[in-house]
């Protein structure tokens, strides 16, 4: 069954000197408007106990343009500036729904340089994209074609730290569901191997950061010798950024290939709910875990399963997949990371990663079929018996599935333990809005 999705296609382009100057001014104005609107919202609450909506922020933008100090905002397209205010409104919505932290100011050096153009701010004719305030279309390198008959509704222009220019075109696309299959797979993420499948196959970890470690270290040493604020330091910084971009691009390419293969070949994919943020606190493993990019792999599996009609089951993070014997069900008390192969009391010899992948698959299928909990109880785990049937702990990837007429309601603020800022001199927090 085909489904309609909004899909972004990202391409690299090479602007002329005039286009690069115009886009650089736009990036600066977008950042300025975002920061000023955020500052005004925060000040209005702390000083006046007053909330500012998107419409009021838009009115403030009009007033800023009329001042002599900010008159240069009229020199760029107004659409990216309005989109910046919408993004700020979304950031506050995510904060009040406890999906994100309080919005932060954008930095000229560290924040992503981007500008979003809606349909009224660009022209799309015969495959040529011309942005507002520009006389010539962008020189885009079409690495892959857009869907047949698709026209972009939004164009987002960005520049990374390596100086590369990209344009992302948001289009409506039709994706056909993949052919049904009876194959299922359990996936155990690792460091020595990128992923280990329940079939016993191990996908090698390319370790791109380790391969380019020498090149990166040399570029960073060269950067450290340059005087701050000099042109040579900026050149050296770009060299470091290019090495990082090369590592990230190669890593992303491998993750796309692995995730696409898993989704195409299997009807159900079972993975483990890893607390990557907590694992990164272990200094001895943080570098290797970051290079493996487990969280990015999971994100790819989530949206690809949703696109192609597959099921993604996420097993509880406390499930002892490595220490559980898949033959007799006994759970070992301890299993250090340096033990890659172990023998159970029943005589079964297990490869640590393969055994974990098979246990993850069995637990995921149990959750999907009958709602059996995958976290063994303390007493039952010692005897080897399965855990008692619990409420279904099932996390299927994809967008939220709502019943007819059901609405998504933001979580209510409980006050205690919240990171919502408090007003000075009061014990109250700003109301959601």
């Amino acid at each position: 069954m085909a489904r309609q999705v909004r899909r972004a296609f990202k391409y690299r382009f090479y602007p002329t000197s005039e286009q690069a100057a115009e886009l650089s001014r736009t990036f600066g104005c977008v950042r300025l408007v975002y920061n000023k609107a955020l500052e005004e919202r925060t000040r209005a609450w702390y000083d006046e106990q007053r909330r500012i909506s998107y419409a009021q922020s838009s009115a403030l933008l009009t007033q800023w343009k009329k001042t002599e100090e900010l008159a240069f905002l009229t020199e760029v397209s107004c659409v990216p500036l309005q989109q910046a205010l919408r993004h700020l409104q979304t950031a506050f919505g995510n904060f009040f729904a406890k999906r994100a932290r309080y919005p932060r100011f954008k930095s000229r050096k560290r924040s992503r340089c981007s500008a979003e153009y809606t349909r009224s701010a660009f022209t799309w004719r015969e495959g040529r994209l011309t942005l507002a305030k520009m006389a010539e279309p962008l020189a885009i390198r079409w690495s892959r074609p857009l869907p047949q008959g698709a026209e972009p509704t939004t164009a987002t222009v960005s520049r990374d730290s390596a100086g590369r220019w990209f344009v992302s075109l948001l289009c409506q696309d039709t994706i056909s569901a993949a052919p049904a299959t009876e194959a299922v797979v359990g996936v155990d993420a690792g460091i020595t191997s990128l992923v280990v499948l329940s079939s016993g196959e191990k996908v090698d970890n390319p370790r791109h950061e380790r391969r380019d470690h020498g090149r990166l270290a040399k570029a960073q040493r060269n950067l450290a010798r340059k005087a701050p604020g000099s042109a040579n330091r900026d050149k050296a910084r770009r060299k470091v950024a290019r090495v990082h971009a090369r590592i990230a691009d190669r890593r992303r390419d491998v993750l796309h290939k692995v995730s696409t293969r898993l989704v195409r070949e299997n009807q159900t994919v079972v993975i483990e709910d890893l607390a990557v943020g907590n694992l990164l606190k272990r200094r001895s493993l943080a570098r290797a875990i970051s290079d493996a990019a487990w969280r990015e792999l999971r994100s790819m599996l989530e949206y690809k399963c949703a696109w192609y009609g597959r099921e993604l089951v996420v097993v509880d993070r406390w499930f002892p997949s490595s220490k559980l014997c898949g033959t007799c069900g006994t759970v070992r008390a301890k299993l250090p990371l340096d033990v890659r192969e172990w023998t159970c009391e029943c005589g079964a010899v297990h490869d640590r990663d393969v055994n974990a992948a098979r246990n993850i698959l069995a637990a995921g299928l149990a959750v999907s079929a009958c709602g059996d909990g995958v976290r063994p109880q303390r007493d039952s785990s010692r005897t080897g018996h399965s855990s008692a049937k619990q409420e279904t702990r099932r996390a299927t990837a994809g967008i939220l599935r709502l019943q007819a007429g059901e609405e998504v309601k933001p979580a209510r603020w409980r006050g205690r333990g919240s990171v919502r800022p408090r007003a000075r001199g009061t014990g109250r927090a700003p109301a959601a809005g």
Side-chain angles (χ1 to χ4, degrees), residues 12 71 76 92 101 143 164 166 223 254 361 403 409 430:
R12 188 173 179 180
V76 300
F92 271 102
R101 296 181 179 180
S143 55
R164 302 180 301 178
F166 297 94
L223 173 62
V254 171
L361 174 61
Q403 301 296 331
K409 297 182 179 179

Side-chain angles (χ1 to χ4, degrees), residues 77-286:
S77 174
C78 63
V79 173
L81 307 184
Q82 294 289 343
Q83 291 299 104
L85 298 180
R86 290 188 174 92
H87 293 165
L88 180 60
Q89 180 68 22
T90 302
F92 271 102
N94 292 334
F95 166 71
F96 287 121
K98 295 187 177 181
R99 293 189 296 266
R101 296 181 179 180
Y102 191 80
R104 294 178 293 180
F105 292 99
K106 292 184 178 294
S107 170
R108 183 175 63 87
K109 294 183 179 180
R110 296 181 179 87
S111 299
R112 177 172 176 260
C113 296
S114 65
E116 184 175 316
Y117 294 80
T118 57
R119 195 65 181 88
S120 60
F122 66 85
T123 303
W124 175 261
R125 293 178 181 174
E126 300 179 356
R128 297 165 68 89
L129 178 68
T130 306
L131 301 178
K133 302 287 185 176
M134 295 185 185
E136 300 178 0
L138 300 181
I140 301 176
R141 297 296 180 263
W142 299 99
S143 55
R144 53 175 175 169
L146 290 176
Q148 186 69 26
E151 290 192 3
T153 57
T154 302
T156 303
V157 181
S158 61
R159 183 184 61 202
D160 64 4
S161 57
R164 302 180 301 178
W165 296 83
F166 297 94
V167 57
S168 180
L169 304 178
L170 184 63
C171 305
Q172 195 76 11
D173 191 15
T174 302
I175 298 182
S176 301
T181 177
E182 297 181 355
V184 294
V185 65
V187 181
D188 178 61
I191 295 177
T192 305
S193 300
L194 182 61
V195 292
V196 179
L197 308 183
S198 55
S199 60
E201 180 184 355
K202 297 184 178 181
V203 179
D204 294 334
N205 184 3
R207 301 192 179 189
H208 298 296
E209 194 274 339
R210 176 176 293 186
R211 287 187 177 184
D212 286 350
H213 178 69
R215 180 183 302 181
L216 179 60
K218 181 179 179 180
Q220 289 175 334
R221 287 195 300 267
N222 187 31
L223 173 62
R225 290 193 294 265
K226 298 299 184 287
S230 64
N232 287 334
R233 183 177 180 84
D234 187 63
K235 294 179 182 178
R237 182 195 60 78
R238 289 182 181 273
K239 289 183 180 179
V240 174
R242 283 196 291 269
V243 177
H244 279 296
R246 167 185 164 88
I247 295 172
D249 290 346
R250 296 169 69 192
R251 179 190 298 125
R252 192 180 304 109
D253 179 68
V254 171
L255 294 180
H256 271 298
K257 292 177 180 178
V258 172
S259 59
T260 299
R261 176 197 164 191
L262 292 175
V263 172
R264 285 180 176 176
E265 296 179 355
N266 302 278
Q267 186 68 31
T268 302
V269 181
V270 185
I271 61 176
E272 194 173 9
D273 183 21
L274 297 175
V276 180
N278 294 335
L279 293 173
L280 290 177
K281 296 178 182 179
R282 303 185 61 174
R283 299 184 60 182
S284 59
L285 297 176

Side-chain angles (χ1 to χ4, degrees), residues 3-16:
R3 61 181 305 172
Q4 295 287 332
V5 298
R6 299 177 67 190
R7 190 174 180 181
F9 295 83
K10 190 175 182 179
Y11 303 95
R12 188 173 179 180
F13 74 97
Y14 298 86
T16 63

